[in-house]
Amino acid sequence: DLSSAAREKLKSKGLDLIAANLVGEELAFNRSDNALEVFSIDRHWSLNRAEKSALARELVDIVVQLLHD
């Protein structure tokens, strides 16, 4: 599943944060909207379907929050 795959990649690559999304028909590619699941070692954020530019801003907000924690 998406969560397990993302968490495994986060650990195996020694990342601080990873963003994952489902792909397939009507998902992710050739669309202006998307949804993301964002993982750190001990946290998870679900970003609901929105324009990709809005998701990018939300993702930056998460990174800023983590840098200040």
Side-chain angles (χ1 to χ4, degrees):
D1 75 289
L2 182 71
S3 176
S4 297
R7 289 187 183 281
E8 178 58 35
K9 188 174 278 191
L10 180 81
K11 290 177 188 173
S12 70
K13 294 187 177 280
L15 303 174
D16 295 320
L17 195 69
I18 193 166
N21 63 295
L22 295 173
V23 295
E25 191 171 327
E26 299 294 320
L27 297 171
F29 298 112
N30 299 318
R31 296 184 57 91
S32 62
D33 63 344
N34 203 350
L36 288 175
E37 299 297 321
V38 183
F39 300 90
S40 70
I41 292 297
D42 59 352
R43 294 177 75 181
H44 170 234
W45 298 261
S46 290
L47 306 185
N48 293 325
R49 182 166 297 285
E51 291 293 313
K52 289 178 179 177
S53 59
L55 288 174
R57 286 189 292 276
E58 288 185 68
L59 188 55
V60 168
D61 288 345
I62 291 170
V63 170
V64 168
Q65 175 186 351
L66 291 174
L67 289 172
H68 285 89
D69 283 353

